[in-house]
Amino acid sequence: MTAPPGTTPPDTALVRARALRKSFGHVEVLRGVDLDVEAGEVCCIVGPSGSGKSTLLRCINHLEKLDSGQIHVDGELIGYRRVGRKLHELSERHVARQRSGIGMVFQQFNLFPHMTALENVIEAPVRVKREPSGEVRTRALSLLDRVGLGEKADAYPGQLSGGQQQRVAIARALAMRPRLMLFDEPTSALDPELVGEVLETMRALAEEGMTMIVVTHEMGFAREVGDTLVFVDDGVIVERGAPAEVLTDPKHERTRSFLSRVL
């Protein structure tokens, strides 16, 4: 991959994505996406299914490899190292180190079914970061309390509701002490009555200053909690701005058409 000129990330942006392109076969899913997210910002991404939202999120922590473009997180080039004007992909070990600072919560909870909630939260810091198990256990218990599940530490995923499992997944991501949290439609697999408890946990994180990029269909959450709303369609960012402004007075017809169907 060739590095385009002028790609030094600014000090103000925690996340800086430039000219991102990604194809699957003959289908170009991202078509030159630029995105900046400031430290402490909550950026909500909305758009129709298949528009490239989840792919964009997965590229930020290199779960998907870009065809071209660059992503910096906290000034660090993700997934590659620069040699002259060329970019060379990092080893999986180096990529794993980078990912350890980027928490991600998926649509499905992906908890280990044979481990308790506490064991699920402890696993990555001990196995990946080699942190002392006693120290991690203390932090994990605190995190479970933080997401309202302190009394469920010894419960297995099969004994928890979907909303509870997703909150364990959030605690698990936070256990790695990330500088950035990515949420890929975290409430889409939940029954409607369970959505609120997960959104409340995310709202609390936002109030604590966590930098978050959230792919969501929850427009109320985007309006109340988001600092920026980004509308993606057909692999490009069509519109971005303050959530209240985009939701009440969208400037582009594609945005208006989408919002008329979901609001």
Side-chain angles (χ1 to χ4, degrees):
M1 183 185 290
T2 301
T7 54
T8 302
D11 293 336
T12 57
L14 184 75
V15 179
R16 186 176 194 250
R18 287 293 177 270
L20 305 187
R21 291 188 175 272
K22 174 65 180 178
S23 296
F24 296 103
H26 298 295
V27 179
E28 193 172 24
V29 180
L30 299 179
R31 302 190 294 121
V33 170
D34 294 342
L35 180 68
D36 286 345
V37 179
E38 304 292 318
E41 180 179 348
V42 178
C43 175
C44 294
I45 301 177
V46 302
S49 296
S51 59
K53 309 183 301 296
S54 293
T55 299
L56 171 58
L57 216 60
R58 291 172 64 85
C59 286
I60 290 173
N61 65 0
H62 207 61
L63 285 174
E64 297 289 353
K65 299 176 184 180
L66 293 167
D67 296 328
S68 63
Q70 292 185 38
I71 298 169
H72 289 84
V73 174
D74 205 13
E76 184 177 13
L77 181 63
I78 298 298
Y80 300 92
R81 59 185 174 86
R82 190 192 313 277
V83 180
R85 289 180 57 82
K86 294 286 188 179
L87 296 181
H88 299 266
E89 190 169 9
L90 294 174
S91 68
E92 184 57 36
R93 180 171 63 86
H94 281 88
V95 172
R97 180 191 61 77
Q98 291 183 330
R99 285 196 193 115
S100 70
I102 305 173
M104 188 158 183
V105 178
F106 300 87
Q107 297 177 34
Q108 302 298 329
F109 323 124
N110 298 328
L111 299 178
F112 294 112
H114 62 289
M115 292 184 178
T116 65
L118 179 61
E119 289 167 342
N120 267 281
V121 177
I122 288 172
E123 178 73 4
V126 171
R127 297 283 186 181
V128 177
K129 289 184 138 182
R130 307 294 184 188
E131 295 185 38
S133 58
E135 183 180 302
V136 174
R137 178 185 173 84
T138 300
R139 186 164 80 245
L141 287 169
S142 175
L143 286 168
L144 287 171
D145 274 334
R146 184 173 167 187
V147 300
L149 291 173
E151 78 286 358
K152 298 291 187 180
D154 295 325
Y156 289 89
Q159 299 170 312
L160 301 174
S161 70
Q164 290 171 333
Q165 289 185 63
Q166 192 63 294
R167 284 186 282 155
V168 172
I170 293 172
R172 178 181 58 184
L174 292 173
M176 296 293 280
R177 293 186 279 206
R179 51 201 166 168
L180 169 68
M181 285 286 287
L182 308 176
F183 293 87
D184 187 7
E185 299 189 28
T187 61
S188 65
L190 299 178
D191 292 333
E193 67 269 21
L194 302 177
V195 168
E197 62 191 56
V198 174
L199 294 181
E200 189 56 41
T201 297
M202 294 169 63
R203 185 178 286 108
L205 285 179
E207 290 172 353
E208 293 167 9
M210 174 63 73
T211 308
M212 300 161 59
I213 304 178
V214 184
V215 171
T216 184
H217 292 298
E218 302 292 339
M219 297 301 168
F221 175 85
R223 183 193 294 268
E224 295 168 22
V225 180
D227 298 298
T228 307
L229 184 65
V230 175
F231 172 59
V232 176
D233 191 21
D234 196 24
V236 299
I237 292 178
V238 176
E239 188 164 351
R240 75 185 84 193
E245 179 182 328
V246 174
L247 291 172
T248 59
D249 187 25
K251 301 298 187 290
H252 294 268
E253 175 56 37
R254 286 158 76 183
T255 315
R256 286 194 290 271
S257 175
F258 171 75
L259 292 176
S260 71
R261 297 193 300 269
V262 300
L263 291 178

